[in-house]
Amino acid sequence: EPEVTQTPSHQVTQMGQEVILRCVPISNHLYFYWYRQILGQKVEFLVSFYNNEISEKSEIFDDQFSVERPDGSNFTLKIRSTKLEDSAMYFCASSDSRDKGNQPQHFGDGTRLSIL
Amino acid sequence: EDKVVQSPLSLVVHEGDTVTLNCSYEVTNFRSLLWYKQEKKAPTFLFMLTSSGIEKKSGRLSSILDKKELSSILNITATQTGDSAIYLCAVRFYGGSQGNLIFGKGTKLSVKP
């Protein structure tokens, strides 16, 4: 069964450094998402992406964050100048385009980001 | 203010028991409600509900949506230790281009042998 893959599974970075989290969505999906889950808290939406542009973003997704689809398969989340509070599990998800994207979102296993 | 509220937050049962997990929402322009199972890593999709009163079933799991009551339940019959997980409810509304998912805090289910 097709799945969303994320790399790396764990990233440890010094505060102030830039990180890039990578995702390969399911191949025929056209809607892509990033969520984060701080330890012990609920899953929170960051950003959605369709047709090579951001469709929607939450207030968490400030100028520190950016997303990109550099080629036909990868979808990346970049965090510039990381802060301690960016430590979380970051999930990538994708869904297909039927019913204008109102389809189940399928999640990757996540990247655990630890900021020191 | 939480827009998606799940109850109970945690539940301990014994194998063979039947459990009912609840999810209520306060979301305008409701579009769909989704249930996920989260074990160690990725939330795994279980059901998506858009219409009231139509039960969705998969093996021992079933779910139904009540739009009038703004709620949904997830039932698990004849529970097994493998059902131990956090069950997440998420709601999608009409907003932006396709609507993000708003998650509840989850119900942590522990099934004892």
Side-chain angles (χ1 to χ4, degrees):
Chain A
E1 185 176 326
E3 57 182 28
V4 176
T5 56
Q6 290 186 242
T7 54
S9 56
H10 191 190
Q11 173 83 45
V12 181
T13 301
Q14 292 288 331
M15 186 171 61
Q17 296 297 304
E18 173 183 287
V19 294
I20 296 176
L21 309 183
R22 303 180 191 280
C23 171
V24 178
I26 294 172
S27 62
N28 64 336
H29 286 183
L30 298 179
Y31 292 85
F32 314 122
Y33 311 85
W34 283 101
Y35 292 83
R36 79 171 186 191
Q37 186 175 31
I38 294 170
L39 189 64
Q41 298 187 24
K42 56 185 175 180
V43 178
E44 300 173 290
F45 169 75
L46 292 177
V47 65
S48 57
F49 192 88
Y50 172 70
N51 201 25
N52 285 319
E53 61 183 20
I54 290 174
S55 322
E56 196 167 6
K57 57 185 181 179
S58 71
E59 23 183 72
I60 303 169
F61 193 89
D62 59 22
D63 292 343
Q64 179 194 11
F65 293 88
S66 62
V67 289
E68 193 178 34
R69 186 154 166 81
D71 54 45
S73 59
N74 290 284
F75 179 51
T76 62
L77 174 69
K78 182 191 289 187
I79 310 175
R80 287 180 281 274
S81 189
T82 49
K83 299 176 280 196
L84 292 175
E85 53 264 39
D86 294 328
S87 295
M89 180 73 88
Y90 288 80
F91 290 108
C92 174
S94 68
S95 63
D96 71 38
S97 58
R98 290 171 295 159
D99 192 19
K100 296 182 182 176
N102 187 28
Q103 295 297 313
Q105 293 179 18
H106 296 273
F107 286 75
D109 278 345
T111 292
R112 179 162 297 287
L113 178 63
S114 300
I115 307 298
L116 304 179
Chain B
E1 184 181 328
D2 286 345
K3 290 188 173 182
V4 179
V5 178
Q6 293 187 245
S7 63
L9 291 180
S10 67
L11 189 56
V12 180
V13 300
H14 287 93
E15 272 192 316
D17 289 348
T18 293
V19 298
T20 299
L21 311 183
N22 300 283
C23 177
S24 62
Y25 59 91
E26 294 179 16
V27 176
T28 54
N29 299 322
F30 171 88
R31 196 171 182 193
S32 54
L33 184 146
L34 293 86
W35 284 97
Y36 287 86
K37 178 182 181 182
Q38 187 176 28
E39 294 177 270
K40 293 181 181 176
K41 293 184 178 178
T44 304
F45 170 71
L46 295 174
F47 299 111
M48 186 171 94
L49 305 159
T50 55
S51 301
S52 232
I54 298 174
E55 185 184 55
K56 294 233 175 160
K57 197 169 171 64
S58 175
R60 295 176 295 102
L61 277 67
S62 63
S63 183
I64 196 162
L65 176 68
D66 186 337
K67 283 187 181 178
K68 189 176 176 184
E69 296 296 325
L70 306 183
S71 66
S72 173
I73 59 171
L74 174 69
N75 280 319
I76 309 175
T77 59
T79 51
Q80 303 171 357
T81 55
D83 295 327
S84 295
I86 297 173
Y87 290 84
L88 301 174
C89 172
V91 174
R92 180 189 276 124
F93 61 96
Y94 283 98
S97 297
Q98 67 266 11
N100 62 72
L101 292 178
I102 302 173
F103 281 85
K105 291 180 179 176
T107 293
K108 184 176 181 180
L109 176 65
S110 300
V111 182
K112 303 292 187 189

